[in-house]
Amino acid sequence: MLKLGVNIDHVATLRQARYRNAPPDRAVEPDPVAAAVVCERAGCHGITAHLREDRRHIIEDDVRRLRDSIATRLNLEMANAPAIVEFALKIHPHIVCLVPENREEVTTEGGLDVAGQEAALTDLRKRLNDDGIEVSLFIDPDPVQIDASVRVGAQFVELHTGRFADFYHRKDARNQEIQRLVQASVRAHAGGLQVNAGHGLTVENVALIHLVPHLVELNIGHSLVSRAIFTGLEPAIREMLEAMKGYPG
Ligand code: PXP
């Protein structure tokens, strides 16, 4: 069964839009931790949160409370930045997903250049694994990055589906992207990696993701939080789980 990890960053985005500089005793909303519990009640399999260096949505306190409150698995997305690595080692999420980070970007725009920093990522992967934390690398569906991820010794790769989502309404480009994802997943699986995917996925485009073999989990955020404005969060999660059903594996 294809699992759903819900990225709850955008619940925190809404809170920070109003309360970024609120005094500590001020009641603020909406709470991403309360949202995570609702997502779990709706049947999701994990919660993902990205602690960005500029703290534009998720803040440390959210990650601590998520770690204590959720019943599924916490996937902490983060850059290889010293202070954030130390924080992760203290908080001990189940999985760390390493992502590139550029302060000017609106969202994570490209995959991690694993091939260009293999030694540093291997050291970090070992530190996290020694602490019992599994490691995922968020990469473009590119054979060079997949082979480097195998050598780094990560447990997972997460394939960046952003280009597929961008090209979804242009049939030829979209089909090319699907083929890249299929080939990347086959290669990663053959190399012993578990394969996740995410970025830009929606109830509409997720049907084509069924063509990509070996997937374990999809990480989805923006479309779920957007849909939740109209339906509520629980129905939005259920609707996505329904769209993900029947994945042939
Ligand atoms: N996976 C990773 C590594 C991401 O950075 C993001 C965006 O925060 C997602 C998945 C989810 O993307 P979206 O919000 O477009 O569903």
Side-chain angles (χ1 to χ4, degrees):
M1 186 193 51
L2 186 54
K3 294 181 186 169
L4 173 63
V6 178
N7 183 318
I8 40 85
D9 293 352
H10 293 302
V11 178
T13 301
L14 189 55
R15 177 194 62 197
Q16 296 305 87
R18 171 60 63 94
Y19 295 115
R20 190 178 182 110
N21 298 313
D25 57 347
R26 176 75 164 86
V28 297
E29 64 183 5
D31 179 13
V33 182
V37 172
V38 172
C39 295
E40 288 186 323
R41 198 163 62 217
C44 81
H45 306 93
I47 299 296
T48 296
H50 186 174
L51 183 65
R52 292 187 74 102
E53 286 184 86
D54 62 8
R55 309 297 193 271
R56 72 172 72 154
H57 37 55
I58 294 292
I59 57 174
E60 279 89 336
D61 187 52
D62 297 326
V63 183
R64 278 190 212 99
R65 290 187 306 119
L66 283 168
R67 187 68 182 89
D68 291 344
S69 309
I70 66 172
T72 57
R73 291 179 20 118
L74 176 61
N75 173 24
L76 179 63
E77 285 177 8
M78 52 179 246
N80 182 10
I84 295 190
V85 170
E86 292 315 313
F87 175 73
L89 289 165
K90 260 194 232 133
I91 292 299
H92 217 86
H94 298 88
I95 311 173
V96 158
C97 179
L98 294 168
V99 299
E101 210 170 284
N102 163 7
R103 278 173 190 254
E104 276 78 55
E105 70 191 0
V106 175
T107 178
T108 317
E109 280 165 9
L112 192 63
D113 179 15
V114 181
Q117 43 183 330
E118 235 179 273
L121 290 176
T122 303
D123 286 348
L124 176 56
R125 192 276 300 160
K126 283 184 187 150
R127 279 187 81 194
L128 293 165
N129 280 174
D130 286 350
D131 220 46
I133 303 169
E134 291 191 296
V135 173
S136 178
L137 303 172
F138 184 56
I139 58 170
D140 290 324
D142 170 349
V144 171
Q145 301 301 338
I146 288 161
D147 294 352
S149 302
V150 173
R151 288 191 297 271
V152 162
Q155 284 69 52
F156 290 86
V157 282
E158 179 174 331
L159 300 177
H160 196 319
T161 52
R163 272 172 67 90
F164 156 73
D166 286 346
F167 293 154
Y168 181 69
H169 292 287
R170 288 164 49 191
K171 204 170 166 205
D172 288 349
R174 158 187 102 187
N175 289 346
Q176 238 175 353
E177 276 308 306
I178 293 274
Q179 279 319 306
R180 283 181 79 211
L181 289 163
V182 168
Q183 284 160 15
S185 191
V186 168
R187 193 175 186 105
H189 180 75
L193 293 162
Q194 297 180 75
V195 188
N196 296 333
H199 215 284
L201 299 180
T202 65
V203 274
E204 185 188 1
N205 69 23
V206 81
L208 284 184
I209 290 296
H210 284 210
L211 299 173
V212 181
H214 308 305
L215 294 176
V216 176
E217 184 167 293
L218 301 180
N219 282 309
I220 307 180
H222 189 269
S223 70
L224 289 172
V225 174
S226 303
R227 182 81 179 132
I229 291 172
F230 299 99
T231 65
L233 194 50
E234 234 177 293
I237 303 298
R238 291 221 172 90
E239 190 180 43
M240 181 60 78
L241 286 167
E242 196 56 37
M244 287 166 55
K245 262 192 194 156
Y247 175 66

